Amino acid sequence: MSVGAQIFRGLRAGWRFLLRDPNAVHLLENSSAGVWISFLGPLLALPIYVLHFALVPHPGEVNVGWFHYISVFLLGFCLSRLIWPVVITIIGPLHRRQAFMARYIAAYNWSIPFQMMILFATVAILSVSAMEPATKAMIRICSYGLVM
């Protein structure tokens, strides 16, 4: 299967996960190659993540250089995307699910673009709304709960 077809299949599975379809996991390849190709999901979501980060109000000014600021931002993005594979390799054998670990990791990775689209849409709408800051914060928390 070509890389483009794998990307389309992974994004289709991610969309079906968003719709809470339990059969979406069968669209994913249960192999290490499937896991590695699934890391294209977070790469596709990176531009959306950058836009989301740019729209979220920050509590203070940046007192460090831009290189340092962007490096920490990108490091946070990478670490947040690598936590789940580490967690699933620990939890999977405890629940006797090591045969499905590749699909669990791929499912997480392919759902990230859709999670980021929901979060970005929420922040974009809230940035132009005239609501109270506490209301905006509560709506953002609810959108994070929706995608998790």
Side-chain angles (χ1 to χ4, degrees), residues 76-136:
F77 177 78
C78 292
L79 288 176
S80 66
R81 302 307 161 221
L82 293 175
I83 287 173
W84 179 249
V86 171
V87 167
I88 201 65
T89 54
I90 294 168
I91 292 177
L94 296 175
H95 293 280
R96 295 181 185 92
R97 293 288 190 200
Q98 53 268 47
F100 305 107
M101 285 191 319
R103 282 189 177 155
Y104 295 152
I105 295 169
Y108 173 73
N109 286 339
W110 285 118
S111 66
I112 288 173
F114 298 102
Q115 293 173 2
M116 290 312 305
M117 282 190 241
I118 290 171
L119 296 177
F120 173 71
T122 304
V123 169
I125 291 169
L126 291 177
S127 67
V128 296
S129 71
M131 292 182 207
E132 294 290 324
T135 306
K136 289 182 181 183

Side-chain angles (χ1 to χ4, degrees), residues 2-22:
S2 71
V3 174
Q6 287 179 328
I7 291 172
F8 180 75
R9 190 173 182 176
L11 289 174
R12 184 171 168 232
W15 175 253
R16 290 183 56 190
F17 283 125
L18 179 68
L19 299 175
R20 306 285 190 219
D21 181 4

Side-chain angles (χ1 to χ4, degrees), residues 26-74:
H26 299 296
L27 290 171
L28 302 171
E29 191 176 330
N30 193 24
S31 68
S32 61
V35 170
W36 285 111
I37 199 77
S38 74
F39 280 99
L40 289 174
L43 281 178
L44 292 172
L46 183 60
I48 303 167
Y49 186 72
V50 170
L51 288 172
H52 173 262
F53 188 76
L55 286 177
V56 172
H58 302 288
E61 289 187 25
V62 178
N63 295 327
V64 296
W66 279 104
F67 177 76
H68 178 74
Y69 188 68
I70 292 172
S71 298
V72 170
F73 164 73
L74 290 176

